[in-house]
Amino acid sequence: ILPNGRFPDLKALTDHIHSLGLRAGIYTSPGPQTCGRFTGSYKHEQADAQQFADWGFDLLKYDWCSYGEVTPHTTPEDYQRPYRQMGNLLARLDRDLVFNLCEYGFGDVWNWGAEVGGNLWRTTADVGATKGDQLPGFYRVGIANAEHSPAAGPGHWNDPDYILIGYVGNAFNNDEPPTLTPLTPDEQYSYMSMWSLMAAPLFYSGDMRRLDAFTLNILCNAEVIDIDQDALGKQAGIVRHTATEFVLAKPLEGGALAVGIFNLARAKLRPTVGWEELGLKGRYHIRDVWRQKEIGERADHFSTAIAPHGVALITLAPAP
C-alpha cells in the first residue's frame, strides 16, 4: 500500500491528527482490492502491517471485500484465516493498533473474533445498505446485533456498523452527494440509544462539514456516551421483543442499570417495564438520560408515553 495524490504524506497526516488529541485509522482488505477497488493487502500483509505502524496509525479496519474472489470460504476456518494472519502480524508490531474485523458476520465471527486478535467485529451487512420493512434498516441491524451480547466485553466488541444521521451518502452510489437523513428525530434518538446500550463502537459516518445543532445533540450527549463507554464493559441484553416493543437493559459500573424502551409501532404507546422483568427488587431512582433530568423514585415499575419509533432511555440507580 502506497500513498497517492490525495494522501501524499500519511505520516504527516497521522502526526497532525495526533496533535489534535485524536487517533487515526486506516482501511484495507485482505483481498487484492478494497470494496472501493483500491489496492488491498493480499500477499503483502506483513509489509502493509509494518507500514501502518510506521505511519503511526492507531486502528486498522480490515474489510472482506474481494477476498472471497481469491480463496474458498465455506468453513469457519476459511473466514478466520485472513483475520488470524493479520491479527498475528499486528500483535508482533511495536505499536498498538485496534483491529476492526469487517466481514459482515460470516462464520459467526462473534464466536472467534477475539481469538484471532480482533477488538471489534461487524455482525451484519452494512447498515446503510440494509432495507427495512415497517421500520428503518438500522432497527434490523441493531436487533440482530443485540442477540450477541454474551460475546462482548472489554477489548472485544460487537460492531453493528456506523451511525448514519445528518447528511449521509448513498450506500448504493458513492458518486451521489450526501443528502439529509430520512430518519425522523425520534428514530435518530432511538438509533443512538440502541448503539450506546449495545456498547457499540460509535463511528459517525455523515458529512462532518454539515453538522447541525440537532445532529450534534444526538451525537454528543455526554450521559448517552457514558452508557456506551461504561467501564464495566457490558453489552445490553434483550429483555423484551414484541411486534411493537423492544427493551434492552445494560448493567453499569456501580450497580445502576441503563434501560432503553423502544416503540416499534407507528402510533404512540405507553409501555410499562416492571422491576421483576429487569431482575430488580426495591426502590430505584430514575433518570431520563436524553433530557438529563431526574424523574423520581419507583418501587416496582416504570411507565411512560413514547412517540412512534421513539425511545425512553433511562438509568435506574438503587435508592439508599
Side-chain angles (χ1 to χ4, degrees):
I1 289 182
L2 303 172
N4 60 24
R6 295 183 66 185
F7 300 98
D9 190 339
L10 285 163
K11 183 64 171 66
L13 176 62
T14 59
D15 286 347
H16 174 66
I17 292 170
H18 291 153
S19 76
L20 301 174
L22 304 172
R23 297 292 179 264
I26 195 166
Y27 166 101
T28 191
S29 170
Q33 293 184 315
T34 67
C35 294
R37 313 315 290 180
F38 294 98
T39 299
S41 287
Y42 185 60
K43 295 187 177 181
H44 297 278
E45 293 84 359
Q46 184 169 351
D48 285 354
Q50 186 61 57
Q51 185 67 82
F52 300 149
D54 292 345
W55 279 333
F57 281 101
D58 306 290
L59 176 146
L60 169 63
K61 178 175 177 178
Y62 211 41
D63 196 340
W64 180 268
C65 298
S66 64
Y67 187 75
E69 300 170 10
V70 296
T71 185
H73 50 288
T74 57
T75 70
E77 179 54 35
D78 292 334
Y79 291 116
Q80 294 175 31
R81 188 176 300 110
Y83 295 97
R84 190 184 302 278
Q85 179 186 24
M86 182 56 76
N88 289 337
L89 291 169
L90 296 179
R92 294 199 292 266
L93 294 174
D94 188 23
R95 183 173 186 83
D96 290 331
L97 274 81
V98 173
F99 190 23
N100 181 351
L101 281 57
C102 183
E103 48 84 276
Y104 316 106
F106 298 149
D108 296 345
V109 61
W110 44 88
N111 291 331
W112 50 265
E115 175 192 328
V116 302
N119 301 115
L120 54 151
W121 42 81
R122 288 278 302 281
T123 56
T124 70
D126 292 348
V127 67
T130 300
K131 298 294 186 181
D133 38 33
Q134 302 289 329
L135 294 160
F138 80 83
Y139 285 97
R140 183 176 167 190
V141 168
I143 290 169
N145 186 78
E147 295 175 356
H148 308 304
S149 59
H156 50 94
W157 310 100
N158 294 311
D159 178 7
D161 203 10
Y162 298 159
I163 297 170
L164 295 166
I165 61 175
Y167 281 81
V168 298
N170 184 340
F172 301 97
N173 185 350
N174 291 330
D175 294 328
E176 288 188 5
T179 57
L180 186 62
T181 176
L183 299 176
T184 68
D186 285 299
E187 288 167 348
Q188 294 178 63
Y189 282 116
S190 293
Y191 198 158
M192 186 70 177
S193 300
M194 192 177 295
W195 262 233
S196 294
L197 285 161
M198 294 189 300
L202 299 178
F203 290 104
Y204 176 62
S205 190
D207 187 342
M208 294 184 70
R209 299 165 299 178
R210 303 176 73 176
L211 284 166
D212 59 279
F214 179 79
T215 305
L216 284 169
N217 172 67
I218 296 289
L219 295 173
C220 297
N221 183 303
E223 292 190 22
V224 177
I225 294 171
D226 282 347
I227 290 172
D228 177 83
Q229 299 182 359
D230 181 75
L232 192 60
K234 294 284 189 180
Q235 177 176 326
I238 299 173
V239 176
R240 182 195 310 165
H241 185 195
T242 70
T244 58
E245 298 175 10
F246 185 59
V247 179
L248 292 172
K250 173 181 168 68
L252 303 175
E253 186 181 39
L257 190 71
V259 180
I261 309 167
F262 299 86
N263 177 1
L264 307 183
R266 294 180 173 179
K268 182 183 290 187
L269 296 178
R270 190 176 183 86
T272 296
V273 176
W275 285 188
E276 183 176 357
E277 187 177 17
L278 297 172
L280 303 177
K281 289 183 180 180
R283 301 190 69 82
Y284 282 80
H285 290 297
I286 305 172
R287 182 171 178 82
D288 184 319
V289 178
W290 278 112
R291 293 180 176 86
Q292 299 185 347
K293 174 182 174 183
E294 298 295 331
I295 293 178
E297 195 174 293
R298 303 285 190 280
D300 52 10
H301 73 277
F302 172 76
S303 181
T304 189
I306 303 176
H309 296 179
V311 63
L313 180 61
I314 60 172
T315 56
L316 302 174

